[in-house]
Amino acid sequence: MNFRQRRRGPRRNRRFHVDVNYSLTIAPLSIRLIQWHHEDIMAAAPVARLSPDEYLAHERQAEFKSEYIDGYVVGMAGGSPEHSLITMNAAHVLVGSLKGKACRVYGSDLKVSVSHKDIFYPDLMVICGPLRYAEPRKDAVTNPTVVIEVLSPSTETRDRGIKSAAYRKLDSLQEYILIDQSAAHIEHY
């Protein structure tokens, strides 16, 4: 079954349609996220603002990862096999080249807290020296040396725009790398 066969209801927009509407509850706060299909990649639209503490409490209990952008919880798109392969190959190269150095490679399960407004899951990051955490729970770091994002159609605008601008505010960041999964193209900042 392809994307067009799954379409339900009147055709309002050729690229998007509402598929699922569900609620997540955090203490007294209820967050509604509307899941959208964009081709075969899931991404969520933000609807309610949270404080950073509320977001982190939500994220610790959530079934799916989401990022925190200017107070909004934004669901992350599912990865493709190509995205995963590129990420793992880049990690393998980095781990080999950093052997014997005081730097470590971390995958997309470790959050980066850029400010009280933005908390992201980069695809890969390198941290040299000890980890510095944003809060006492030790699940978001503030000192990546290198951040790598693998671009996909559903995340490219965010990776090049909001996330790029936010990462550049980090004092520790020396390199920001974007890897295009659709073409043999790498951008290094």
Side-chain angles (χ1 to χ4, degrees):
M1 179 179 293
N2 67 31
F3 171 72
R4 300 217 187 293
Q5 291 170 327
R6 283 197 309 262
R7 184 177 300 281
R8 295 179 186 92
R11 222 176 181 170
R12 293 182 185 199
N13 185 317
R14 292 178 180 252
R15 297 178 73 176
F16 294 98
H17 76 280
V18 176
D19 186 38
V20 176
N21 187 356
Y22 65 93
S23 294
L24 299 171
T25 305
I26 312 167
L29 180 66
S30 182
I31 303 171
R32 292 180 61 222
L33 295 175
I34 299 173
Q35 293 279 332
W36 299 83
H37 272 286
H38 177 252
E39 302 186 10
D40 286 329
I41 300 171
M42 297 293 286
V47 233
R49 278 193 115 145
L50 297 177
S51 72
D53 291 335
E54 289 169 325
Y55 161 74
L56 290 169
H58 161 264
E59 195 63 13
R60 286 181 198 108
Q61 298 172 5
E63 198 172 320
F64 301 101
K65 289 195 287 189
S66 58
E67 294 182 313
Y68 183 73
I69 301 173
D70 194 26
Y72 290 104
V73 176
V74 180
M76 294 178 63
S80 68
E82 294 81 10
H83 185 281
S84 180
L85 183 62
I86 291 167
T87 303
M88 296 312 296
N89 285 342
H92 179 75
V93 169
L94 285 169
V95 167
S97 66
L98 294 172
K99 242 183 192 166
K101 296 186 170 94
C103 301
R104 299 283 178 260
V105 179
Y106 296 90
S108 62
D109 289 328
L110 184 60
K111 294 183 284 295
V112 172
S113 178
V114 177
S115 66
H116 290 295
K117 293 171 56 175
D118 300 307
I119 302 172
F120 304 121
Y121 285 96
D123 290 318
L124 287 172
M125 69 179 139
V126 175
I127 298 177
C128 297
L131 298 175
R132 281 188 274 147
Y133 296 100
E135 44 89 31
R137 293 254 187 188
K138 296 186 175 186
D139 58 359
V141 296
T142 61
N143 63 323
T145 306
V146 178
V147 171
I148 299 172
E149 295 284 4
V150 177
L151 302 175
S152 63
S154 65
T155 65
E156 182 173 5
T157 301
R158 192 180 322 158
D159 290 340
R160 289 182 182 283
I162 293 169
K163 291 173 84 170
S164 174
Y167 287 139
R168 290 177 188 181
K169 293 177 187 173
L170 293 167
D171 292 335
S172 64
L173 190 70
Q174 294 178 16
E175 299 178 60
Y176 183 52
I177 299 170
L178 299 172
I179 303 173
D180 192 335
Q181 73 172 332
S182 318
H185 184 76
I186 295 175
E187 296 174 40
H188 179 240
Y189 300 97

